Amino acid sequence: MPVETAILLLSDLHFGNDLPEAAGTQLLNVPSAFTKVTPYFEARCKGHHPPCVTRLPRYLKVLLYGLKEEGHHGEKFDLLILLGDQSTLTHERSYKFLREYLTQEDYTTKDEYGEVHSCKGLHMDPSDILAIPGNHDKLLRKSLDLYHEEFSRKAKLREEVRPQMCSIAIKSLAGREFIFILVEPSVYCEQDLKPGSDFRRHLAAGEVSAKLVEDVRTKLGMLREHGKLDAELKLKTNFNDAMKVLLVHYAIDERRFPSGLDEIILPHQCDGLGDLVDMMREEYQLSLAMHGHLHHPLLYNFNGVQVVSATTATRADKPGKTGFFLLKVLDSGTVRAEHHFWTGVDYTPDPDNTLSRDVGYLPRRDIAA
């Protein structure tokens, strides 16, 4: 069946400060008293793997060529979704590198010795990018100010999600309408660049607050009752006919994933997230959710909601676990997930058929794209 819409799903890019270098922990102010947190920084604060970054744009062009043969008419992906941990150390140089890599056709930089380094970029239009922050995008920070100043705003992204709040994006793609609910349930430290005594709560874990639940209810309720949130953010069809998709960094059901020493030292769960998903399914017809965080690709069902767990796309720290998902919407309305992984040399389609299958259905309503 022809592919009418192609959505690229990337997560946990963990960009370092520039193309030729990965991020190090020298920018962090970690008191020696917090020795328990050291394994987390050593294991989780690595930057991108440069070969992944340089090969990804070329591989995506191959995928686009293949999509044309499957009936897709676009020259680019219809939408790029980023599921958090765009940077590994919440640094302005990382975000400059990232936003130029995402939006430019070519990325060129000079290292400290004056040597020029370059690679192809993804060349996406900012209006076609949806991004949510992850725990690394506010690592040792008390707010998302730096993330938004250096990435969201300078990259000219339309949506800007705030701590313990949600943001709504409505996309009309090939005659079908999507409501994306971007949520940010992270816990923040009390002082910038200092772990503090509450480091076990804010470094890698999240918590859905009553404020966040109320914000989700208010915005989805307005869309259902009035078909719009403001003059610009409004539905072209009715609420029931749109596909509702949750975007969140943290795992919805962490019990599905293997746990290691760093998860024991520092909890990675998001308290209350499962309850939020249940509420959204029961009250607002949520049918699809996407998350990253644990660097483990998986497709699973959570109480009737199909979940796509995206792994790290550009950090080769776990053999066979680096990769990304491509979501295809067929002319029949079927939504199909397709996983691609890093072999150590290049990306390739994943032969594991449990990671490439149908995850939803959305009938056409013949609305203007």
Side-chain angles (χ1 to χ4, degrees):
M1 295 181 182
V3 174
E4 293 191 332
T5 301
I7 300 174
L8 181 62
L9 179 60
L10 304 179
S11 188
D12 296 83
L13 296 173
H14 286 281
F15 266 35
N17 294 333
D18 213 335
L19 176 62
E21 65 171 320
T25 58
Q26 68 274 10
L27 297 176
L28 298 174
N29 178 20
V30 184
S32 57
F34 292 95
T35 55
K36 290 184 178 180
V37 84
T38 301
Y40 173 78
F41 288 124
E42 291 178 346
R44 297 286 183 169
C45 291
K46 298 175 183 176
H48 62 275
H49 183 48
C52 290
V53 172
T54 57
R55 288 300 304 170
L56 183 60
R58 299 179 186 275
Y59 184 74
L60 294 179
K61 282 194 172 183
V62 174
L63 284 187
L64 282 170
Y65 181 81
L67 284 168
K68 286 185 177 181
E69 295 185 336
E70 295 182 68
H72 186 255
H73 299 296
E75 296 298 321
K76 300 178 182 179
F77 296 99
D78 298 284
L79 194 64
L80 168 61
I81 296 176
L82 304 175
L83 289 175
D85 284 359
Q86 276 74 263
S87 169
T88 202
L89 284 180
T90 320
H91 195 273
E92 55 266 24
R93 285 176 57 191
S94 302
Y95 292 128
K96 178 180 183 296
F97 172 25
L98 174 66
R99 65 178 186 262
E100 292 179 1
Y101 175 81
L102 294 177
T103 60
Q104 295 180 174
E105 188 171 5
D106 297 281
Y107 177 77
T108 302
T109 186
K110 287 185 179 180
D111 62 22
E112 57 184 312
Y113 305 105
E115 185 176 352
V116 176
H117 301 267
S118 63
C119 72
K120 290 292 181 181
L122 302 192
H123 201 207
M124 291 293 299
D125 188 306
S127 64
D128 296 328
I129 300 175
L130 293 179
I132 56 171
N135 58 299
H136 278 266
D137 294 309
K138 53 84 193 175
L139 191 67
L140 294 180
R141 303 280 174 171
K142 61 181 182 180
S143 72
L144 281 171
D145 289 352
L146 190 147
Y147 172 81
H148 287 310
E149 288 170 6
E150 297 297 329
F151 178 55
S152 301
R153 295 167 195 161
K154 289 185 178 179
K156 299 181 180 179
L157 304 186
R158 291 182 177 179
E159 288 73 28
E160 185 174 305
V161 63
R162 309 305 302 178
Q164 292 298 325
M165 296 186 72
C166 78
S167 181
I168 304 293
I170 299 173
K171 298 290 182 180
S172 299
L173 304 171
R176 299 180 175 90
E177 198 153 39
F178 295 78
I179 300 174
F180 291 96
I181 308 102
L182 294 70
V183 304
E184 167 44 8
S186 292
V187 179
Y188 293 75
C189 63
E190 297 176 354
Q191 291 181 284
D192 277 344
L193 298 179
K194 291 184 179 180
S197 59
D198 62 341
F199 73 90
R200 281 180 56 84
R201 292 186 65 246
H202 70 71
L203 282 177
E207 182 179 354
V208 174
S209 66
K211 174 185 176 182
L212 176 52
V213 174
E214 182 61 26
D215 195 44
V216 170
R217 274 202 166 107
T218 298
K219 290 172 180 173
L220 289 182
M222 288 180 64
L223 273 180
R224 183 171 59 189
E225 294 300 318
H226 307 290
K228 63 179 182 179
L229 292 181
D230 54 42
E232 294 185 357
L233 199 61
K234 54 187 177 181
L235 292 167
K236 296 179 179 179
T237 185
N238 65 67
F239 183 85
N240 291 339
D241 291 334
M243 187 174 201
K244 294 83 178 176
V245 184
L246 171 65
L247 306 183
V248 63
H249 179 64
Y250 299 93
I252 293 170
D253 188 356
E254 71 277 2
R255 298 169 300 178
R256 303 270 186 159
F257 303 89
S259 61
L261 178 61
D262 54 343
E263 280 82 8
I264 296 173
I265 295 174
L266 289 173
H268 282 61
Q269 81 276 5
C270 183
D271 295 338
L273 182 55
D275 292 336
L276 178 67
V277 171
D278 283 338
M279 180 274 288
M280 295 173 69
R281 173 183 55 80
E282 294 171 1
E283 299 182 20
Y284 303 104
Q285 304 171 318
L286 179 71
S287 60
L288 183 62
M290 307 176 188
H291 71 76
H293 192 42
L294 298 183
H295 297 196
H296 192 98
L298 189 65
L299 301 177
Y300 63 95
N301 185 288
F302 181 81
N303 297 343
V305 175
Q306 290 294 317
V307 181
V308 179
S309 168
T311 184
T312 171
T314 53
R315 207 180 82 172
D317 55 340
K318 295 181 180 179
K321 296 301 182 184
T322 298
F324 65 90
F325 279 98
L326 174 63
L327 298 182
K328 300 176 179 179
V329 183
L330 311 184
D331 65 346
S332 64
T334 298
V335 182
R336 181 170 298 165
E338 183 179 277
H339 190 249
H340 299 256
F341 78 105
W342 175 253
T343 66
V345 178
D346 206 343
Y347 294 91
T348 191
D350 197 327
D352 184 352
N353 58 16
T354 66
L355 294 177
S356 296
R357 59 174 176 82
D358 298 349
V359 294
Y361 176 76
L362 181 63
R364 176 188 294 279
R365 293 301 175 192
D366 295 319
I367 58 175

